[in-house]
Amino acid sequence: MAESGSSVEFSGSLTLPPPRTRIFKIIVIGDSGVGKTCLTYRFCAGKFPDKTEATIGVDFRERLVEIDGEKIKIQLWDTAGQERFRKSMVQHYYRNVHAVVFVYDVTNAASFRSLPAWIEECKQHALGTEVPRILVGNKCDLQDSIQVGTDVAQQFADAHSMPVFETSAKNPNSQDGNYGGGNSDHVEAIFMTVAHKLKSQKPLVLSQPPEGSGGTINLSRVRDDGGDGSRSWSCSSC
Amino acid sequence: MDGGGLPTSRVVSALAMRRRFIVTTTAQEPSCGRKQKLAEIHQALISDPVDIETLRRAAASKGGLLTDELRRKVWPKLLNINVYKLPHKPGRDVRENHKDYNQVVLDVRRSMKRFPKGMPSTERAVLQEQLIDIILAVLKHNPQLHYYQGYHDVAVSLLLVVGEQMAIAMLDTLSNYHLRDFMDPTMDSTKHILNYLMPILEQVDTELHDFMIRAEVGNIFALSWLITWFGHVLSEFKHTLRLYDFFLASHPLMPIYLAATIVLHREKEVKQTECDMAMVHHLLSRIPQDLPYELLIGRAQDLFDQYPPSLLAKRAALQSRKSLSISTFQAFQLSTLHQRPDSVLRRLTKAHGSSTSKHGLEAALPRDRGQLWGKGNRMVKMAVWGLSATLGAAVFAVAHTAMDWGPEVLLQLF
């Protein structure tokens, strides 16, 4: 039924042609209010949201980027932070995830202390160590109320073999702080780091064995195709 | 904590007043059906016992309850609430020692979009603090209930229409009945309710159903629709209110039937999307803001009649699970059948010499409404009503300035 003129119809066949662009699926998790929505919005829309509300269930955002000449679709799954959602609602979205971004709020020590629970959550959803993870400390623009020091975060990240970034998803133009215009690029760099990492892991299959020592990312150049021109940026963690 | 009660009352009274102003100025589309409906609703309200069937029908049928003024009178009846025995204003203690306090504050303070655009931030802040109190008052009163993100979207929709005390009474009842399943310690019951969605689609459009199954889209795209009664996703408050009329008068599963009609309404779009979880989730979770609500409400009712929950549960072999919202609904509906009209309730309250705060009653319902509404200039009547319902002269000044942004609100809300 539903015969339409353009007839882009699936006639019972379950085999679909492979999409031309590769898709990287990244799930963003962390406590309520740490800024997951802000970060994902910033990356996908290229600007800072005016105001974000509580995420109920799971929100989806995506963006097409180009890495070394290849067009890649980055899909971000922005999840609700309240525990009751994570326990029974979000599991569906852990499936076929290529990477995980853990977010905490540098001004909220409790959100940092929750990280082991989030890591455990990933384990329970059978996300192996081969799935790249990164740790993001958000709201670092609020320098006067920082509760989680960089060194502590770095130690934690090292122990879990993941790189850590401190950033602010807030509009740097509205801040007079030391971060200035360069800060917003962190958000860009964070997700692009993950994308580079994923691109280098070819082919993208779920059962990929952990590579080498793991946890080391060397990123030489991040290209932003959002129209801001390109810039260099590097990150490494051991 | 906000400081002192007086400024709060003033500002909020101003809001109430403004809303009344808007109601009168917009309630002028000449329509015979509308007039008749208004008359029917008024008649049902003064019947003894209150003609709840007529009120339910009015709330669900075209246009819903038409005005906020009527909502303030009919909504409590739909929930069997005696507006002359409202809970007291929450004291400071509601904020003490509650496990959900932080989450509530976090969610309410960032829920700016739910308030009318153009509302001065100071007024919004006052209402946000009231919202926190309302939510915590209900949670404290019902220790078996657990806060969920989205509950605040329901609470704000009530607060903006009926004010603080009646919002507490309504939220309390809703939480124990319609929203009860969402307030368990876990969301397993919520998941169970969501699981009615696909079976409805299956009955109506197998092809669409199969497409969505192949896409493995799941049903989380409808989660916020269900648990906030669409309050979280609609940007026009008037649409939210229209749906609240409908849901308050319906079975607790009705939001799921409406969700199904929305998906069915977008059937072509869905089928033309790539058969992929992300794509379909993305499409469906972004709800079009120009949906034909009246049409969809009618269809949801038809679907409900044609495929009632019990039938779906059987056909789809839904895992049996006790739903408190469903199992208590019948008794709840019965309880609404024996309500006395407000005029009688008021007399009874007075006769009992009840010490229920007079101020509370009057804030909840205009006194001598009949005389005020009888004849003469509406604007003046509104002003008089506003004053009788609130604190007096101080309010008038505040309300006066509030008119400055009236037109904006008018565009936003009505």
Side-chain angles (χ1 to χ4, degrees), chain A residues 1-2 10 14 25 32 51-58 60 62 75 77 82 84-85 88-89 91-93 95, chain B residues 103 106 110 113-114 146-150 182 184 187-188 191 207 211 214 216 220 224 232 277-279 281-282 286:
Chain A
M1 52 176 284
F10 304 104
L14 287 176
K25 181 176 166 184
S32 200
K51 34 193 165 183
T52 57
E53 292 186 276
T55 303
I56 296 174
V58 181
F60 168 85
E62 69 176 356
Q75 294 186 340
W77 292 87
Q82 196 190 5
R84 59 191 1 259
F85 289 95
S88 55
M89 287 293 170
Q91 313 109 322
H92 192 64
Y93 300 89
R95 287 192 312 167
Chain B
Q103 187 74 56
L106 184 65
R110 58 181 165 163
K113 277 191 210 154
R114 304 276 83 86
H146 300 262
Y147 174 79
Y148 61 87
Q149 291 187 298
F182 316 145
D184 272 351
M187 296 201 87
D188 292 344
K191 223 155 101 181
E207 203 184 330
F211 180 87
R214 276 207 306 281
E216 300 186 325
I220 304 295
S224 67
H232 187 74
M277 171 175 114
M279 292 303 113
H281 176 97
H282 188 54
R286 269 156 189 71

Short mmCIF file of all heavy atoms in Angstrom, two decimals, chain A residues 1-2 10 14 25 32 51-58 60 62 75 77 82 84-85 88-89 91-93 95, chain B residues 103 106 110 113-114 146-150 182 184 187-188 191 207 211 214 216 220 224 232 277-279 281-282 286:
data_model
loop_
_atom_site.label_atom_id
_atom_site.label_comp_id
_atom_site.label_asym_id
_atom_site.label_seq_id
_atom_site.Cartn_x
_atom_site.Cartn_y
_atom_site.Cartn_z
N MET A 1 0.83 -1.21 0.00
CA MET A 1 0.00 0.00 0.00
C MET A 1 0.86 1.25 0.00
O MET A 1 2.06 1.20 -0.16
CB MET A 1 -0.94 -0.02 1.21
CG MET A 1 -0.26 -0.25 2.52
SD MET A 1 -1.41 -0.14 3.90
CE MET A 1 -1.63 1.63 4.02
N ALA A 2 0.21 2.37 0.18
CA ALA A 2 0.91 3.65 0.22
C ALA A 2 1.83 3.84 -0.98
O ALA A 2 3.02 4.09 -0.85
CB ALA A 2 1.71 3.78 1.51
N PHE A 10 10.55 -0.01 0.30
CA PHE A 10 11.21 -1.29 0.53
C PHE A 10 10.19 -2.36 0.23
O PHE A 10 9.14 -2.41 0.84
CB PHE A 10 11.65 -1.41 1.97
CG PHE A 10 12.52 -0.29 2.40
CD1 PHE A 10 12.02 0.72 3.20
CD2 PHE A 10 13.83 -0.22 1.99
CE1 PHE A 10 12.82 1.77 3.58
CE2 PHE A 10 14.64 0.83 2.38
CZ PHE A 10 14.13 1.82 3.17
N LEU A 14 15.15 -7.15 3.06
CA LEU A 14 15.78 -6.69 4.29
C LEU A 14 17.20 -6.18 4.06
O LEU A 14 17.82 -5.64 4.94
CB LEU A 14 15.81 -7.82 5.33
CG LEU A 14 14.45 -8.14 5.95
CD1 LEU A 14 14.57 -9.32 6.89
CD2 LEU A 14 13.89 -6.93 6.68
N LYS A 25 28.70 6.29 15.92
CA LYS A 25 27.66 6.49 16.94
C LYS A 25 28.30 6.66 18.31
O LYS A 25 28.99 5.76 18.79
CB LYS A 25 26.73 5.27 16.90
CG LYS A 25 25.59 5.34 17.87
CD LYS A 25 24.67 4.14 17.69
CE LYS A 25 23.73 4.04 18.87
NZ LYS A 25 22.89 2.85 18.83
N SER A 32 23.04 14.16 35.95
CA SER A 32 22.10 15.21 35.57
C SER A 32 22.73 16.58 35.77
O SER A 32 23.36 16.84 36.79
CB SER A 32 20.88 15.06 36.47
OG SER A 32 19.78 15.69 35.93
N LYS A 51 19.32 28.10 26.20
CA LYS A 51 18.99 27.45 27.46
C LYS A 51 18.68 26.00 27.15
O LYS A 51 18.09 25.70 26.13
CB LYS A 51 17.78 28.13 28.12
CG LYS A 51 16.75 28.64 27.11
CD LYS A 51 15.74 29.57 27.74
CE LYS A 51 14.97 30.34 26.68
NZ LYS A 51 14.04 31.30 27.19
N THR A 52 19.10 25.15 28.02
CA THR A 52 18.77 23.74 27.79
C THR A 52 17.92 23.26 28.95
O THR A 52 18.06 23.72 30.08
CB THR A 52 20.03 22.87 27.71
OG1 THR A 52 20.76 23.03 28.91
CG2 THR A 52 20.88 23.24 26.52
N GLU A 53 17.04 22.35 28.62
CA GLU A 53 16.16 21.79 29.64
C GLU A 53 16.60 20.38 29.95
O GLU A 53 17.43 19.80 29.27
CB GLU A 53 14.74 21.78 29.12
CG GLU A 53 14.16 23.15 28.96
CD GLU A 53 12.69 23.07 28.58
OE1 GLU A 53 12.39 22.91 27.40
OE2 GLU A 53 11.86 23.14 29.48
N ALA A 54 15.99 19.82 30.96
CA ALA A 54 16.26 18.43 31.30
C ALA A 54 15.99 17.56 30.07
O ALA A 54 15.02 17.78 29.35
CB ALA A 54 15.34 18.01 32.44
N THR A 55 16.86 16.60 29.84
CA THR A 55 16.63 15.65 28.76
C THR A 55 15.79 14.51 29.30
O THR A 55 16.11 13.94 30.34
CB THR A 55 17.97 15.10 28.24
OG1 THR A 55 18.77 16.20 27.82
CG2 THR A 55 17.75 14.16 27.06
N ILE A 56 14.73 14.21 28.60
CA ILE A 56 13.87 13.13 29.06
C ILE A 56 14.05 11.96 28.11
O ILE A 56 13.71 12.06 26.94
CB ILE A 56 12.40 13.59 29.10
CG1 ILE A 56 12.28 14.70 30.14
CG2 ILE A 56 11.48 12.42 29.43
CD1 ILE A 56 10.93 15.34 30.20
N GLY A 57 14.64 10.88 28.62
CA GLY A 57 14.94 9.74 27.76
C GLY A 57 16.23 9.98 27.00
O GLY A 57 17.28 10.16 27.62
N VAL A 58 16.13 10.03 25.70
CA VAL A 58 17.32 10.16 24.88
C VAL A 58 17.07 11.14 23.74
O VAL A 58 16.05 11.06 23.08
CB VAL A 58 17.68 8.79 24.26
CG1 VAL A 58 18.94 8.89 23.43
CG2 VAL A 58 17.86 7.74 25.34
N PHE A 60 18.71 12.88 20.18
CA PHE A 60 19.64 12.50 19.13
C PHE A 60 20.07 13.74 18.36
O PHE A 60 19.25 14.57 18.02
CB PHE A 60 18.92 11.51 18.21
CG PHE A 60 19.65 11.24 16.94
CD1 PHE A 60 20.63 10.28 16.89
CD2 PHE A 60 19.36 11.95 15.78
CE1 PHE A 60 21.31 10.04 15.71
CE2 PHE A 60 20.04 11.71 14.61
CZ PHE A 60 21.01 10.75 14.57
N GLU A 62 23.06 14.95 15.16
CA GLU A 62 24.13 14.45 14.30
C GLU A 62 24.77 15.57 13.52
O GLU A 62 24.23 16.66 13.39
CB GLU A 62 23.61 13.38 13.36
CG GLU A 62 22.66 13.88 12.30
CD GLU A 62 22.25 12.79 11.31
OE1 GLU A 62 22.76 11.66 11.41
OE2 GLU A 62 21.43 13.09 10.44
N GLN A 75 27.00 10.70 15.00
CA GLN A 75 25.70 10.69 15.68
C GLN A 75 25.92 10.73 17.18
O GLN A 75 26.61 9.88 17.73
CB GLN A 75 24.93 9.40 15.35
CG GLN A 75 24.53 9.29 13.92
CD GLN A 75 23.64 8.08 13.68
OE1 GLN A 75 23.63 7.14 14.47
NE2 GLN A 75 22.90 8.10 12.59
N TRP A 77 24.23 10.59 20.89
CA TRP A 77 23.05 10.22 21.67
C TRP A 77 23.20 10.85 23.04
O TRP A 77 24.05 10.46 23.83
CB TRP A 77 22.90 8.71 21.74
CG TRP A 77 22.57 8.13 20.40
CD1 TRP A 77 23.47 7.75 19.44
CD2 TRP A 77 21.27 7.92 19.84
NE1 TRP A 77 22.79 7.31 18.31
CE2 TRP A 77 21.45 7.39 18.54
CE3 TRP A 77 19.97 8.11 20.31
CZ2 TRP A 77 20.37 7.07 17.70
CZ3 TRP A 77 18.90 7.78 19.48
CH2 TRP A 77 19.11 7.27 18.20
N GLN A 82 19.20 11.48 35.08
CA GLN A 82 18.58 10.95 36.31
C GLN A 82 18.68 9.43 36.31
O GLN A 82 18.41 8.77 35.31
CB GLN A 82 17.12 11.39 36.41
CG GLN A 82 16.56 11.22 37.81
CD GLN A 82 15.05 11.43 37.89
OE1 GLN A 82 14.39 11.61 36.87
NE2 GLN A 82 14.52 11.40 39.10
N ARG A 84 16.98 6.94 37.36
CA ARG A 84 15.88 6.05 36.98
C ARG A 84 15.82 5.84 35.46
O ARG A 84 15.41 4.79 34.99
CB ARG A 84 14.56 6.58 37.51
CG ARG A 84 14.26 7.94 37.02
CD ARG A 84 13.09 8.63 37.72
NE ARG A 84 12.42 7.96 38.76
CZ ARG A 84 11.25 7.32 38.65
NH1 ARG A 84 10.64 7.26 37.51
NH2 ARG A 84 10.68 6.76 39.68
N PHE A 85 16.22 6.87 34.68
CA PHE A 85 16.21 6.71 33.23
C PHE A 85 17.33 5.77 32.78
O PHE A 85 17.17 4.96 31.90
CB PHE A 85 16.38 8.06 32.53
CG PHE A 85 15.18 8.93 32.66
CD1 PHE A 85 15.09 9.88 33.65
CD2 PHE A 85 14.12 8.81 31.78
CE1 PHE A 85 13.97 10.70 33.78
CE2 PHE A 85 12.99 9.62 31.88
CZ PHE A 85 12.93 10.56 32.89
N SER A 88 16.53 1.87 33.27
CA SER A 88 15.68 1.02 32.44
C SER A 88 15.32 1.59 31.07
O SER A 88 14.74 0.91 30.26
CB SER A 88 14.39 0.69 33.19
OG SER A 88 13.76 1.89 33.59
N MET A 89 15.71 2.80 30.80
CA MET A 89 15.26 3.39 29.55
C MET A 89 16.35 3.48 28.49
O MET A 89 16.09 3.44 27.30
CB MET A 89 14.75 4.81 29.80
CG MET A 89 13.43 4.83 30.50
SD MET A 89 12.16 4.16 29.42
CE MET A 89 10.79 4.01 30.55
N GLN A 91 19.10 1.63 27.93
CA GLN A 91 19.89 0.47 27.44
C GLN A 91 19.88 0.32 25.93
O GLN A 91 20.90 0.03 25.32
CB GLN A 91 19.37 -0.88 27.96
CG GLN A 91 19.09 -0.96 29.39
CD GLN A 91 17.59 -1.02 29.57
OE1 GLN A 91 16.85 -0.36 28.85
NE2 GLN A 91 17.15 -1.81 30.53
N HIS A 92 18.68 0.48 25.37
CA HIS A 92 18.50 0.33 23.94
C HIS A 92 19.56 1.10 23.14
O HIS A 92 19.95 0.70 22.06
CB HIS A 92 17.10 0.87 23.62
CG HIS A 92 16.61 0.54 22.26
ND1 HIS A 92 16.37 -0.75 21.85
CD2 HIS A 92 16.32 1.34 21.19
CE1 HIS A 92 15.94 -0.73 20.60
NE2 HIS A 92 15.89 0.51 20.17
N TYR A 93 19.99 2.20 23.71
CA TYR A 93 20.88 3.09 22.97
C TYR A 93 22.35 2.78 23.15
O TYR A 93 23.19 3.43 22.55
CB TYR A 93 20.54 4.55 23.35
CG TYR A 93 19.11 4.81 22.99
CD1 TYR A 93 18.09 4.56 23.90
CD2 TYR A 93 18.78 5.17 21.70
CE1 TYR A 93 16.77 4.71 23.54
CE2 TYR A 93 17.46 5.31 21.32
CZ TYR A 93 16.46 5.07 22.25
OH TYR A 93 15.16 5.19 21.87
N ARG A 95 23.42 -0.06 22.30
CA ARG A 95 23.74 -1.05 21.27
C ARG A 95 24.49 -0.42 20.11
O ARG A 95 24.16 0.68 19.66
CB ARG A 95 22.44 -1.68 20.75
CG ARG A 95 21.84 -2.64 21.77
CD ARG A 95 20.77 -3.44 21.14
NE ARG A 95 19.86 -2.56 20.37
CZ ARG A 95 18.97 -3.01 19.51
NH1 ARG A 95 18.88 -4.30 19.28
NH2 ARG A 95 18.18 -2.17 18.87
N GLN B 103 17.42 17.33 42.51
CA GLN B 103 16.99 17.07 41.13
C GLN B 103 15.83 18.00 40.75
O GLN B 103 15.81 18.55 39.65
CB GLN B 103 16.55 15.61 40.99
CG GLN B 103 16.25 15.19 39.56
CD GLN B 103 17.50 15.02 38.72
OE1 GLN B 103 18.39 14.26 39.05
NE2 GLN B 103 17.58 15.75 37.62
N LEU B 106 17.17 21.50 40.21
CA LEU B 106 17.93 21.52 38.96
C LEU B 106 17.00 21.59 37.74
O LEU B 106 17.20 22.38 36.82
CB LEU B 106 18.79 20.25 38.89
CG LEU B 106 19.74 20.09 37.72
CD1 LEU B 106 20.82 21.16 37.77
CD2 LEU B 106 20.38 18.71 37.76
N ARG B 110 15.97 25.24 35.32
CA ARG B 110 16.35 25.35 33.91
C ARG B 110 15.16 25.15 32.97
O ARG B 110 15.34 24.99 31.78
CB ARG B 110 17.48 24.36 33.58
CG ARG B 110 17.15 22.90 33.86
CD ARG B 110 18.33 22.00 33.53
NE ARG B 110 18.14 20.69 34.12
CZ ARG B 110 18.81 19.61 33.75
NH1 ARG B 110 19.71 19.67 32.80
NH2 ARG B 110 18.58 18.45 34.34
N LYS B 113 11.66 27.50 29.25
CA LYS B 113 10.81 27.51 28.05
C LYS B 113 9.33 27.29 28.37
O LYS B 113 8.48 27.60 27.56
CB LYS B 113 11.24 26.38 27.11
CG LYS B 113 12.41 26.74 26.22
CD LYS B 113 12.57 25.66 25.15
CE LYS B 113 14.01 25.52 24.74
NZ LYS B 113 14.31 24.18 24.24
N ARG B 114 9.06 26.72 29.51
CA ARG B 114 7.67 26.42 29.83
C ARG B 114 6.87 27.66 30.23
O ARG B 114 5.67 27.63 30.32
CB ARG B 114 7.59 25.39 30.98
CG ARG B 114 8.33 24.11 30.71
CD ARG B 114 7.48 23.14 29.90
NE ARG B 114 7.56 23.42 28.48
CZ ARG B 114 8.51 22.94 27.68
NH1 ARG B 114 9.45 22.18 28.12
NH2 ARG B 114 8.49 23.24 26.40
N HIS B 146 7.96 8.73 43.57
CA HIS B 146 9.33 9.14 43.25
C HIS B 146 9.33 10.14 42.10
O HIS B 146 8.66 9.92 41.10
CB HIS B 146 10.17 7.92 42.89
CG HIS B 146 10.24 6.91 44.00
ND1 HIS B 146 11.30 6.83 44.86
CD2 HIS B 146 9.35 5.97 44.40
CE1 HIS B 146 11.07 5.88 45.74
NE2 HIS B 146 9.89 5.33 45.48
N TYR B 147 10.11 11.17 42.28
CA TYR B 147 10.19 12.21 41.25
C TYR B 147 10.86 11.67 39.99
O TYR B 147 11.80 10.90 40.06
CB TYR B 147 10.99 13.39 41.80
CG TYR B 147 11.26 14.46 40.77
CD1 TYR B 147 10.28 15.37 40.41
CD2 TYR B 147 12.50 14.55 40.13
CE1 TYR B 147 10.52 16.34 39.46
CE2 TYR B 147 12.75 15.53 39.18
CZ TYR B 147 11.75 16.42 38.84
OH TYR B 147 12.00 17.37 37.90
N TYR B 148 10.34 12.10 38.85
CA TYR B 148 11.03 11.80 37.59
C TYR B 148 11.20 13.09 36.80
O TYR B 148 10.38 14.01 36.91
CB TYR B 148 10.26 10.77 36.76
CG TYR B 148 8.86 11.19 36.34
CD1 TYR B 148 8.64 11.91 35.17
CD2 TYR B 148 7.76 10.86 37.12
CE1 TYR B 148 7.37 12.29 34.78
CE2 TYR B 148 6.48 11.25 36.75
CZ TYR B 148 6.29 11.96 35.57
OH TYR B 148 5.02 12.34 35.19
N GLN B 149 12.24 13.17 36.01
CA GLN B 149 12.44 14.34 35.17
C GLN B 149 11.29 14.39 34.17
O GLN B 149 11.10 13.45 33.39
CB GLN B 149 13.78 14.26 34.44
CG GLN B 149 14.96 14.41 35.38
CD GLN B 149 16.27 14.50 34.61
OE1 GLN B 149 16.64 13.56 33.90
NE2 GLN B 149 16.97 15.62 34.74
N GLY B 150 10.55 15.45 34.15
CA GLY B 150 9.37 15.56 33.30
C GLY B 150 8.13 15.82 34.15
O GLY B 150 7.17 16.42 33.69
N PHE B 182 4.42 6.14 36.52
CA PHE B 182 5.71 6.78 36.23
C PHE B 182 6.49 7.08 37.50
O PHE B 182 7.66 7.45 37.44
CB PHE B 182 5.50 8.10 35.46
CG PHE B 182 4.49 8.02 34.36
CD1 PHE B 182 3.65 9.09 34.06
CD2 PHE B 182 4.35 6.86 33.60
CE1 PHE B 182 2.71 9.01 33.05
CE2 PHE B 182 3.41 6.77 32.58
CZ PHE B 182 2.57 7.84 32.31
N ASP B 184 6.97 5.08 40.23
CA ASP B 184 7.55 3.96 40.94
C ASP B 184 9.04 4.23 41.19
O ASP B 184 9.60 5.12 40.58
CB ASP B 184 7.43 2.69 40.07
CG ASP B 184 6.11 1.98 40.30
OD1 ASP B 184 5.39 2.36 41.23
OD2 ASP B 184 5.82 1.03 39.55
N MET B 187 11.62 2.69 36.47
CA MET B 187 10.74 3.04 35.36
C MET B 187 10.20 1.82 34.63
O MET B 187 9.76 1.92 33.48
CB MET B 187 11.45 3.98 34.41
CG MET B 187 11.78 5.30 35.07
SD MET B 187 12.06 6.65 33.93
CE MET B 187 10.40 7.24 33.68
N ASP B 188 10.23 0.69 35.28
CA ASP B 188 9.73 -0.52 34.63
C ASP B 188 8.25 -0.41 34.27
O ASP B 188 7.83 -0.85 33.20
CB ASP B 188 9.98 -1.74 35.52
CG ASP B 188 11.47 -2.04 35.63
OD1 ASP B 188 12.24 -1.52 34.79
OD2 ASP B 188 11.88 -2.77 36.55
N LYS B 191 7.85 1.73 31.30
CA LYS B 191 8.21 0.97 30.11
C LYS B 191 7.04 0.09 29.67
O LYS B 191 6.74 -0.03 28.49
CB LYS B 191 9.41 0.06 30.44
CG LYS B 191 10.45 0.05 29.36
CD LYS B 191 11.79 -0.31 29.93
CE LYS B 191 12.19 -1.72 29.70
NZ LYS B 191 13.49 -2.04 30.31
N GLU B 207 2.01 -2.30 8.01
CA GLU B 207 3.20 -1.97 7.25
C GLU B 207 4.10 -0.98 8.01
O GLU B 207 5.31 -1.16 8.12
CB GLU B 207 2.77 -1.34 5.92
CG GLU B 207 3.80 -1.43 4.84
CD GLU B 207 3.34 -0.70 3.58
OE1 GLU B 207 2.12 -0.65 3.36
OE2 GLU B 207 4.18 -0.18 2.86
N PHE B 211 7.75 -1.67 9.57
CA PHE B 211 8.87 -0.78 9.23
C PHE B 211 9.59 -0.33 10.50
O PHE B 211 10.83 -0.37 10.58
CB PHE B 211 8.33 0.44 8.47
CG PHE B 211 9.39 1.42 8.05
CD1 PHE B 211 10.08 1.28 6.85
CD2 PHE B 211 9.70 2.50 8.87
CE1 PHE B 211 11.05 2.19 6.48
CE2 PHE B 211 10.68 3.41 8.51
CZ PHE B 211 11.35 3.26 7.31
N ARG B 214 11.55 -3.14 12.01
CA ARG B 214 12.80 -3.36 11.27
C ARG B 214 13.84 -2.30 11.62
O ARG B 214 15.01 -2.58 11.73
CB ARG B 214 12.54 -3.32 9.75
CG ARG B 214 12.04 -4.60 9.15
CD ARG B 214 12.43 -4.70 7.67
NE ARG B 214 12.01 -3.55 6.88
CZ ARG B 214 10.77 -3.36 6.42
NH1 ARG B 214 9.83 -4.24 6.69
NH2 ARG B 214 10.48 -2.29 5.71
N GLU B 216 14.16 -0.95 14.34
CA GLU B 216 14.50 -1.11 15.76
C GLU B 216 14.48 0.22 16.51
O GLU B 216 15.33 0.48 17.35
CB GLU B 216 15.89 -1.76 15.89
CG GLU B 216 15.96 -3.13 15.24
CD GLU B 216 17.29 -3.83 15.50
OE1 GLU B 216 18.31 -3.14 15.56
OE2 GLU B 216 17.27 -5.06 15.65
N ILE B 220 11.20 4.83 22.86
CA ILE B 220 11.63 5.90 23.77
C ILE B 220 11.37 7.29 23.18
O ILE B 220 11.28 8.27 23.91
CB ILE B 220 13.14 5.74 24.10
CG1 ILE B 220 13.42 4.37 24.69
CG2 ILE B 220 13.60 6.80 25.08
CD1 ILE B 220 12.77 4.08 26.00
N SER B 224 8.91 11.10 26.53
CA SER B 224 8.62 12.42 27.10
C SER B 224 7.17 12.83 26.80
O SER B 224 6.57 13.55 27.57
CB SER B 224 9.60 13.46 26.58
OG SER B 224 9.41 13.67 25.20
N HIS B 232 6.34 18.69 27.66
CA HIS B 232 7.77 18.93 27.45
C HIS B 232 8.10 19.26 26.00
O HIS B 232 9.11 19.88 25.72
CB HIS B 232 8.54 17.67 27.88
CG HIS B 232 10.03 17.84 27.88
ND1 HIS B 232 10.69 18.57 28.85
CD2 HIS B 232 10.99 17.38 27.05
CE1 HIS B 232 11.99 18.54 28.61
NE2 HIS B 232 12.20 17.84 27.52
N MET B 277 17.38 3.02 13.07
CA MET B 277 16.95 3.45 14.40
C MET B 277 17.15 4.96 14.61
O MET B 277 16.23 5.67 15.02
CB MET B 277 17.72 2.69 15.47
CG MET B 277 17.49 3.24 16.86
SD MET B 277 18.27 2.25 18.14
CE MET B 277 19.48 3.37 18.75
N ALA B 278 18.35 5.42 14.28
CA ALA B 278 18.65 6.82 14.55
C ALA B 278 17.75 7.74 13.73
O ALA B 278 17.21 8.73 14.25
CB ALA B 278 20.11 7.11 14.24
N MET B 279 17.59 7.41 12.47
CA MET B 279 16.82 8.27 11.59
C MET B 279 15.35 8.33 12.01
O MET B 279 14.74 9.39 12.04
CB MET B 279 16.92 7.77 10.13
CG MET B 279 18.30 7.93 9.54
SD MET B 279 18.85 9.65 9.61
CE MET B 279 20.19 9.55 10.75
N HIS B 281 14.06 7.50 14.94
CA HIS B 281 13.96 8.13 16.27
C HIS B 281 14.02 9.65 16.13
O HIS B 281 13.23 10.38 16.72
CB HIS B 281 15.11 7.64 17.16
CG HIS B 281 15.16 8.30 18.52
ND1 HIS B 281 14.62 7.73 19.64
CD2 HIS B 281 15.67 9.49 18.92
CE1 HIS B 281 14.80 8.53 20.68
NE2 HIS B 281 15.44 9.62 20.26
N HIS B 282 14.97 10.09 15.32
CA HIS B 282 15.17 11.52 15.11
C HIS B 282 13.90 12.16 14.55
O HIS B 282 13.44 13.19 15.05
CB HIS B 282 16.31 11.69 14.12
CG HIS B 282 16.75 13.11 13.95
ND1 HIS B 282 17.11 13.91 14.99
CD2 HIS B 282 16.89 13.87 12.83
CE1 HIS B 282 17.45 15.10 14.54
NE2 HIS B 282 17.31 15.10 13.24
N ARG B 286 11.05 14.56 17.08
CA ARG B 286 10.79 15.97 16.83
C ARG B 286 9.34 16.14 16.39
O ARG B 286 9.01 15.90 15.25
CB ARG B 286 11.75 16.51 15.78
CG ARG B 286 12.98 17.05 16.45
CD ARG B 286 14.19 17.08 15.61
NE ARG B 286 15.35 17.42 16.42
CZ ARG B 286 15.89 16.59 17.33
NH1 ARG B 286 15.37 15.39 17.52
NH2 ARG B 286 16.94 16.96 18.04
#
